[in-house]
């Protein structure tokens, strides 16, 4: 039996290439919690959990993610059979409520270790990849329309992205609609323009907002109202042609079922971190498919590590009608993978190789780690 011998965590702070202006926060760095699981046969698995803008996006902070893993999740897993991923998930769900991002980081490391020991990519553990590459959106969020237009045009010319998600909700609805209309006019039919309001609007704002966005040629609006406003989401979904996507409303399969049952969205933004891991994300996907909803591969702006894990899962999904936004590594000033994910022809390539298909660049980890060298360790038998 291959036991779980040791679980280490550390926090990285990596600057972003520009300020990333969202309705609730402006990001200048991204913080990632890395997990390394060591097994008794010498194999290892790595995983990562991120949130966005400290505690401004959701209820888990990077420090809370690290603490949940160190204090509650790691001690429960030490000494268990490393191949029994489902058993580990059941145990963690019993002992730890919520804390989905912390669970995700650990679960990815377990899948990665299992894939490496079996000599297969993680996609194989989910039935096998049906895509080698997936379309990737870019988020325009400089806070300035002119800068966003220049950025979009460069992305189209270099064939890196032709799907753009605009972050809105910080300014008035009228100003936001004008901003979106300018960008759509500048890119025309060469790109798909979508927006993410990150819950900033009231239902009243959203009624006006969706009307204006639709007239401006915007194709989709993500989470216009707060996550708990399911009936408002249902009303907006029913009364406008523009697609409505649920993001913050989807914290795992139970939420997915409730949103689907009130028809509170046309599209699910499936995020591995928000779902509680690859397995729970696959359950969210199954519910979306069964309800006839569109699917989109979302991100919590992870580094290449969990972006690779997300690509493994999404590569197994037959129809991701709205593509993905797995551009996290491209928003950061530096790469932490020894072999970065390849982005070309408007797509991200699914990493080849075993496990999640990611190897860390140790020099970069040493450079960006917050603690300057003090890894937190839980060791079996101690
Ligand atoms: C979100 O709310 O979807 C995804 C892309 C991006 O720029 O921010 C995230 C979060
Ligand atoms: Mg979103």
């Amino acid at each position: 039996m291959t036991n779980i011998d040791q679980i280490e965590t550390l926090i990285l702070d990596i600057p972003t290439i520009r300020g990333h202006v969202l309705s609730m926060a402006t990001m200048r760095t991204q913080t990632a919690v890395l997990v390394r699981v060591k097994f008794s046969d010498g194999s290892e698995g790595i995983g990562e959990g991120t949130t966005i803008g400290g505690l401004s996006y959701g209820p888990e902070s990077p420090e809370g993610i690290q603490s949940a893993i160190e204090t509650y999740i790691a001690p429960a897993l030490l000494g268990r059979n490393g191949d029994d991923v489902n058993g580990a998930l059941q145990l963690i769900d019993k002992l730890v409520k919520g804390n989905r991002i912390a669970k995700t980081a650990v679960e990815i490391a377990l899948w990665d270790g299992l894939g490496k020991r079996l000599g297969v990519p993680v996609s194989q553990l989910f039935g096998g990849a049906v895509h080698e590459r997936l379309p990737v959106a870019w988020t325009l969020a400089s806070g300035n329309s002119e800068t966003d237009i220049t950025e979009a045009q460069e992305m189209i010319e270099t064939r890196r992205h032709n799907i753009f998600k605009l972050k809105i909700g910080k300014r008035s609805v009228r100003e936001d609609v004008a901003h979106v209309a300018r960008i759509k006019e500048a890119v025309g039919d060469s790109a798909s323009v979508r927006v993410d309001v990150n819950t900033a609007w009231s239902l009243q704002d959203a009624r006006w907002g969706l009307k204006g966005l639709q007239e401006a040629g915007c194709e989709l609006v993500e989470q216009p109202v707060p996550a708990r406003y399911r009936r408002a989401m249902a009303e907006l979904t029913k009364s406008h042609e523009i697609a409505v996507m649920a993001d913050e409303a989807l914290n795992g399969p139970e939420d997915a079922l409730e949103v689907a049952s009130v028809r509170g969205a046309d599209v699910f933004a499936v995020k591995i971190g928000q779902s509680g891991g690859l397995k729970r994300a696959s359950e969210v996907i199954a519910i979306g498919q069964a309800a006839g909803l569109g699917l989109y591969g979302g991100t919590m702006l992870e580094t290449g590590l969990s972006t690779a894990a997300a690509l493994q899962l999404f590569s197994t999904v037959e129809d991701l009608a709205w593509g993905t936004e797995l551009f996290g590594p491209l928003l950061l000033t530096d790469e932490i993978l020894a072999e970065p994910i390849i982005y070309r022809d408007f797509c991200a390539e699914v990493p080849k190789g075993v496990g999640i298909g990611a190897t860390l660049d140790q020099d970069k980890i040493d450079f960006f780690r917050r603690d300057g060298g003090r890894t937190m360790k839980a060791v079996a038998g101690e």
Side-chain angles (χ1 to χ4, degrees), residues 47-71:
E48 175 200 1
T50 56
T51 184
I52 290 170
L55 277 170
S56 65
Y57 177 93
E60 288 177 270
S61 66
E63 299 74 19
I65 293 167
Q66 184 179 39
S67 162
I69 297 170
E70 288 297 330
T71 316

Side-chain angles (χ1 to χ4, degrees), residues 186-224:
V187 299
D189 291 337
S190 58
S192 165
V193 170
R194 308 157 183 191
V195 298
D196 189 354
V197 191
N198 282 116
T199 74
W201 286 345
S202 65
L203 177 58
Q204 179 66 30
D205 286 339
R207 287 193 186 115
W208 280 111
L210 266 64
K211 184 170 183 283
L213 290 168
Q214 190 165 310
E215 283 165 9
C218 173
E219 289 174 23
L220 172 144
V221 56
E222 180 173 340
Q223 200 66 53

Side-chain angles (χ1 to χ4, degrees), residues 20-27 52 139 141 167-168 170 198 301:
H20 201 56
V21 184
L22 319 180
S23 68
M24 67 293 177
T26 297
M27 299 171 68
I52 290 170
T139 297
K167 287 288 189 178
I168 62 170
K170 198 174 168 174
N198 282 116
L301 301 175

Side-chain angles (χ1 to χ4, degrees), residues 320-367:
L320 272 174
W322 294 84
T324 78
E325 57 179 16
L326 297 175
F327 67 86
L330 302 173
L331 189 65
L332 306 177
T333 54
D334 224 325
E335 184 50 63
I336 63 160
L337 297 191
E339 280 180 51
I341 293 168
I342 297 166
Y343 291 90
R344 67 170 163 229
D345 285 333
F346 308 116
C347 287
E349 299 193 359
V350 180
K352 303 237 175 347
V354 295
I356 58 172
T359 311
L360 294 174
D361 177 333
Q362 196 52 49
D363 290 344
K364 300 286 180 56
I365 304 300
D366 293 340
F367 185 78

